Every structure is written in structure tokens, then in C-alpha cells.
Amino acid sequence: MYEFKPLNEVSISILVNLVNEVFKDYVVPVRWTYDSFTMDIKENSISLGDSFLVFSDEKPVGFCVISIRNRIGRIDSIGVLEEFRGKGLASQMLFRVVENLKWKDIDTIILEVVELDKRSVRFYEKHGFRLKRNLYSYLKRKNQRAQNSFSFIYESTTSDNIYDLAQVAKLKFKRDPNWQRDPMTLKLSDNRYIYEVILNEEGNRIGYIVWGLNEDNVFIVDIAPIDDSSNFFDIVRDATSKLFQIKDEIIVISVPEDDPLNSALIDNKYIPFIKQLEMERKLH
């Protein structure tokens, strides 16, 4: 007999410890902290009341983290301890998610899964999820012999201003951003990253970049031009040179295959290292 408890009734530390245990040997490294998850709650519109932990004899054995925005629900993360797999618990959890979101009049549930995780892909397909598009993660390492000078000007701004610019880029370039790059996600990230407006040599605004810093690398959350005076290729090329002044490796995670950013990264010699599947299930 399992007991389901919403996340707003349990300690976040229990969830974080369980997630790290479930994904300790996953194909993609996962390491949550209390601080990172509390920031995720706001940035990703996580609903603690709709997310839950599963207990067996008071032991946490499974979890599901749900985001809700407008009429879209997203499975941010879901997992079960290894010794409880193959017993129908994951299906029971997913059924609970689907029925709850139907009741909330959600139209679509989306999720991302690593392509190499064939077992999970089959599980989601069995439960009515279908491939929407591929997402690619990229890296680029600094060529020590190359000249890495940059020409554009980068001015610090706020997540609110980035939201406005991202909306412009979305409409101008017909972007269909994934959850990570949705303008609202960027707005709600509020001080988590570095937010910069990109200006050309004449001082005109031509784009924006949202990025951050890890111990070993720099990562780009999103980057885009905002008008026809520039393009994705040139914006990415210049920002790459700028960021190589800080670290010797740049990563960009989960870029949709149909986003113009994807082509710009490839053309700038970024190398794909993870492929994810963005899957969805229609509820109405």
C-alpha cells in the first residue's frame, strides 16, 4: 500500500535526497540541492500542490514534480527507487498525474526524456505520449590557437527586460521555444543567471543573452537577435568569443531542433553530446 503526499506537505530535503538517489546512475548526471530546487520552483512554475512524494511504510520511494503554466502541464521530473520498479508504481503515479491535470482542464502534458533511456521512452509511449521534436545539448571547447576577440557590446539588464526581448525574438523569428527558453521562464528566473542586452558597435540593441557560470564551464540559457540588423549565427559567434574569455568550455542544453538557435550552434562548430525527446500527450 502506497501513500501519496503533495510536496507542500513534506520537507523539500526529502525530495532532493530521493531524486539524487533515484538518478545516481542515470545516463545524464543529476545532482539536486535544496537551493537549486527552490529556485526551480519559481523559474519552472512548479506546483507543489500537484507534485507529490510516494511513501511505502513511511519510506519515500517515488516522486513526481509537476509544472503548470496556462493550459500546459509539464512533468519536470519523475522517478521510483530501483527496488520498487517493475511493480506498477510508475504507471500508478502517471495515471494520478493525468487524471489530476484533466480535472484542472489542462490541454497538454509535456516532458523531456533522454533518447538513450529506451526503457523510459517505451514507458511514456505506452501511456500515450508521442514525440513532438528532438532537443540537443551542445558543447564547444576553446581552440587555444584561435583569436577569440568579440565586437559587440554587452550591457547588464534584468530578467524583466529579457522577457520583453525574448517575446520580440519569439514573434520575429517564429520561435517555438521549449520550456527552458520560454520568455516566462526567463522572466521568472529572476537573478539566477547573468542577463545582458547585446548592442552593435553603433550602440543599437541587436539581441540578448542569458548565461551562467559553473566551476568547469560557462553555460548559455538562451541567446537570440531581436531584429534584422543581426542574426543568430553572428550573435552566437560573438558571444562565444566573449564567454571564452571566462572559461574554456561552453555548454548549451536542450535546444529544439526547429529553433534557429540550433542551426546557429551547429554552424559555429558546437558539438552535440546529448539528444533528448520532447514528448507530449493531449488530454482534450
mmCIF file of all heavy atoms in Angstrom, residues 219-237:
data_model
loop_
_atom_site.group_PDB
_atom_site.id
_atom_site.type_symbol
_atom_site.label_atom_id
_atom_site.label_comp_id
_atom_site.label_asym_id
_atom_site.label_seq_id
_atom_site.Cartn_x
_atom_site.Cartn_y
_atom_site.Cartn_z
ATOM 1 N N PHE A 219 27.650 28.293 -19.265
ATOM 2 C CA PHE A 219 26.502 27.747 -19.977
ATOM 3 C C PHE A 219 25.600 28.874 -20.461
ATOM 4 O O PHE A 219 25.433 29.886 -19.785
ATOM 5 C CB PHE A 219 25.703 26.772 -19.092
ATOM 6 C CG PHE A 219 25.161 27.379 -17.815
ATOM 7 C CD1 PHE A 219 23.888 27.940 -17.779
ATOM 8 C CD2 PHE A 219 25.919 27.365 -16.647
ATOM 9 C CE1 PHE A 219 23.381 28.483 -16.614
ATOM 10 C CE2 PHE A 219 25.418 27.906 -15.472
ATOM 11 C CZ PHE A 219 24.146 28.468 -15.451
ATOM 12 N N ILE A 220 25.077 28.686 -21.646
ATOM 13 C CA ILE A 220 24.137 29.646 -22.229
ATOM 14 C C ILE A 220 22.729 29.113 -22.033
ATOM 15 O O ILE A 220 22.407 28.008 -22.490
ATOM 16 C CB ILE A 220 24.410 29.865 -23.725
ATOM 17 C CG1 ILE A 220 25.813 30.469 -23.945
ATOM 18 C CG2 ILE A 220 23.344 30.762 -24.347
ATOM 19 C CD1 ILE A 220 26.210 30.584 -25.416
ATOM 20 N N VAL A 221 21.891 29.883 -21.362
ATOM 21 C CA VAL A 221 20.492 29.515 -21.181
ATOM 22 C C VAL A 221 19.714 29.846 -22.449
ATOM 23 O O VAL A 221 18.986 29.021 -22.987
ATOM 24 C CB VAL A 221 19.880 30.239 -19.970
ATOM 25 C CG1 VAL A 221 18.410 29.877 -19.811
ATOM 26 C CG2 VAL A 221 20.655 29.913 -18.695
ATOM 27 N N ASP A 222 19.880 31.060 -22.950
ATOM 28 C CA ASP A 222 19.244 31.461 -24.200
ATOM 29 C C ASP A 222 19.989 32.639 -24.791
ATOM 30 O O ASP A 222 20.610 33.433 -24.065
ATOM 31 C CB ASP A 222 17.772 31.826 -23.996
ATOM 32 C CG ASP A 222 17.010 31.919 -25.316
ATOM 33 O OD1 ASP A 222 17.404 31.212 -26.259
ATOM 34 O OD2 ASP A 222 16.016 32.674 -25.394
ATOM 35 N N ILE A 223 19.902 32.744 -26.102
ATOM 36 C CA ILE A 223 20.539 33.845 -26.821
ATOM 37 C C ILE A 223 19.797 34.012 -28.141
ATOM 38 O O ILE A 223 19.416 33.020 -28.772
ATOM 39 C CB ILE A 223 22.039 33.568 -27.060
ATOM 40 C CG1 ILE A 223 22.694 34.728 -27.807
ATOM 41 C CG2 ILE A 223 22.261 32.252 -27.780
ATOM 42 C CD1 ILE A 223 24.216 34.611 -27.891
ATOM 43 N N ALA A 224 19.568 35.264 -28.537
ATOM 44 C CA ALA A 224 18.825 35.496 -29.778
ATOM 45 C C ALA A 224 19.001 36.926 -30.241
ATOM 46 O O ALA A 224 19.187 37.839 -29.433
ATOM 47 C CB ALA A 224 17.334 35.207 -29.579
ATOM 48 N N PRO A 225 18.924 37.152 -31.542
ATOM 49 C CA PRO A 225 18.814 38.521 -32.070
ATOM 50 C C PRO A 225 17.384 39.008 -31.880
ATOM 51 O O PRO A 225 16.482 38.211 -31.584
ATOM 52 C CB PRO A 225 19.139 38.344 -33.559
ATOM 53 C CG PRO A 225 18.689 36.947 -33.867
ATOM 54 C CD PRO A 225 18.926 36.141 -32.617
ATOM 55 N N ILE A 226 17.179 40.308 -32.040
ATOM 56 C CA ILE A 226 15.824 40.850 -31.874
ATOM 57 C C ILE A 226 15.330 41.608 -33.102
ATOM 58 O O ILE A 226 14.185 42.060 -33.120
ATOM 59 C CB ILE A 226 15.732 41.754 -30.625
ATOM 60 C CG1 ILE A 226 16.741 42.896 -30.711
ATOM 61 C CG2 ILE A 226 15.903 40.935 -29.358
ATOM 62 C CD1 ILE A 226 16.575 43.944 -29.618
ATOM 63 N N ASP A 227 16.185 41.764 -34.120
ATOM 64 C CA ASP A 227 15.722 42.387 -35.357
ATOM 65 C C ASP A 227 16.618 41.954 -36.513
ATOM 66 O O ASP A 227 17.539 41.158 -36.329
ATOM 67 C CB ASP A 227 15.668 43.921 -35.244
ATOM 68 C CG ASP A 227 17.015 44.549 -34.925
ATOM 69 O OD1 ASP A 227 18.052 43.995 -35.365
ATOM 70 O OD2 ASP A 227 17.051 45.588 -34.250
ATOM 71 N N ASP A 228 16.364 42.474 -37.681
ATOM 72 C CA ASP A 228 17.085 42.036 -38.878
ATOM 73 C C ASP A 228 18.485 42.629 -39.003
ATOM 74 O O ASP A 228 19.200 42.316 -39.956
ATOM 75 C CB ASP A 228 16.277 42.393 -40.131
ATOM 76 C CG ASP A 228 14.995 41.581 -40.234
ATOM 77 O OD1 ASP A 228 14.995 40.439 -39.745
ATOM 78 O OD2 ASP A 228 14.000 42.100 -40.791
ATOM 79 N N SER A 229 18.877 43.490 -38.056
ATOM 80 C CA SER A 229 20.223 44.065 -38.127
ATOM 81 C C SER A 229 21.293 43.055 -37.729
ATOM 82 O O SER A 229 22.479 43.303 -37.896
ATOM 83 C CB SER A 229 20.318 45.306 -37.236
ATOM 84 O OG SER A 229 20.130 44.963 -35.869
ATOM 85 N N SER A 230 20.870 41.913 -37.188
ATOM 86 C CA SER A 230 21.810 40.846 -36.860
ATOM 87 C C SER A 230 21.123 39.509 -37.122
ATOM 88 O O SER A 230 20.002 39.463 -37.626
ATOM 89 C CB SER A 230 22.271 40.951 -35.407
ATOM 90 O OG SER A 230 23.319 40.032 -35.156
ATOM 91 N N ASN A 231 21.783 38.423 -36.789
ATOM 92 C CA ASN A 231 21.220 37.090 -36.997
ATOM 93 C C ASN A 231 21.756 36.143 -35.940
ATOM 94 O O ASN A 231 22.686 36.477 -35.195
ATOM 95 C CB ASN A 231 21.549 36.587 -38.408
ATOM 96 C CG ASN A 231 23.045 36.581 -38.679
ATOM 97 O OD1 ASN A 231 23.798 35.824 -38.072
ATOM 98 N ND2 ASN A 231 23.493 37.453 -39.592
ATOM 99 N N PHE A 232 21.181 34.973 -35.868
ATOM 100 C CA PHE A 232 21.566 34.018 -34.830
ATOM 101 C C PHE A 232 23.038 33.622 -34.946
ATOM 102 O O PHE A 232 23.750 33.512 -33.940
ATOM 103 C CB PHE A 232 20.678 32.767 -34.895
ATOM 104 C CG PHE A 232 19.386 32.894 -34.149
ATOM 105 C CD1 PHE A 232 18.264 33.432 -34.771
ATOM 106 C CD2 PHE A 232 19.297 32.492 -32.826
ATOM 107 C CE1 PHE A 232 17.062 33.548 -34.083
ATOM 108 C CE2 PHE A 232 18.098 32.611 -32.139
ATOM 109 C CZ PHE A 232 16.980 33.137 -32.752
ATOM 110 N N PHE A 233 23.516 33.407 -36.175
ATOM 111 C CA PHE A 233 24.899 32.976 -36.342
ATOM 112 C C PHE A 233 25.882 33.995 -35.776
ATOM 113 O O PHE A 233 26.787 33.657 -35.002
ATOM 114 C CB PHE A 233 25.203 32.735 -37.822
ATOM 115 C CG PHE A 233 26.642 32.363 -38.072
ATOM 116 C CD1 PHE A 233 27.076 31.064 -37.931
ATOM 117 C CD2 PHE A 233 27.575 33.341 -38.426
ATOM 118 C CE1 PHE A 233 28.406 30.724 -38.143
ATOM 119 C CE2 PHE A 233 28.910 33.013 -38.638
ATOM 120 C CZ PHE A 233 29.326 31.702 -38.500
ATOM 121 N N ASP A 234 25.724 35.265 -36.137
ATOM 122 C CA ASP A 234 26.658 36.296 -35.690
ATOM 123 C C ASP A 234 26.559 36.536 -34.190
ATOM 124 O O ASP A 234 27.579 36.764 -33.516
ATOM 125 C CB ASP A 234 26.396 37.605 -36.439
ATOM 126 C CG ASP A 234 26.810 37.527 -37.902
ATOM 127 O OD1 ASP A 234 27.637 36.657 -38.240
ATOM 128 O OD2 ASP A 234 26.290 38.325 -38.707
ATOM 129 N N ILE A 235 25.347 36.499 -33.653
ATOM 130 C CA ILE A 235 25.157 36.680 -32.210
ATOM 131 C C ILE A 235 25.857 35.564 -31.438
ATOM 132 O O ILE A 235 26.563 35.806 -30.462
ATOM 133 C CB ILE A 235 23.648 36.703 -31.873
ATOM 134 C CG1 ILE A 235 22.986 37.973 -32.402
ATOM 135 C CG2 ILE A 235 23.408 36.524 -30.390
ATOM 136 C CD1 ILE A 235 23.138 39.181 -31.532
ATOM 137 N N VAL A 236 25.669 34.328 -31.891
ATOM 138 C CA VAL A 236 26.305 33.186 -31.221
ATOM 139 C C VAL A 236 27.820 33.252 -31.361
ATOM 140 O O VAL A 236 28.566 33.008 -30.404
ATOM 141 C CB VAL A 236 25.765 31.856 -31.788
ATOM 142 C CG1 VAL A 236 26.601 30.672 -31.307
ATOM 143 C CG2 VAL A 236 24.302 31.668 -31.393
ATOM 144 N N ARG A 237 28.302 33.585 -32.550
ATOM 145 C CA ARG A 237 29.756 33.666 -32.774
ATOM 146 C C ARG A 237 30.407 34.680 -31.855
ATOM 147 O O ARG A 237 31.435 34.394 -31.214
ATOM 148 C CB ARG A 237 30.029 34.029 -34.229
ATOM 149 C CG ARG A 237 31.529 34.151 -34.566
ATOM 150 C CD ARG A 237 31.736 34.590 -35.989
ATOM 151 N NE ARG A 237 31.089 35.877 -36.259
ATOM 152 C CZ ARG A 237 31.046 36.440 -37.469
ATOM 153 N NH1 ARG A 237 31.590 35.837 -38.508
ATOM 154 N NH2 ARG A 237 30.446 37.610 -37.637
#
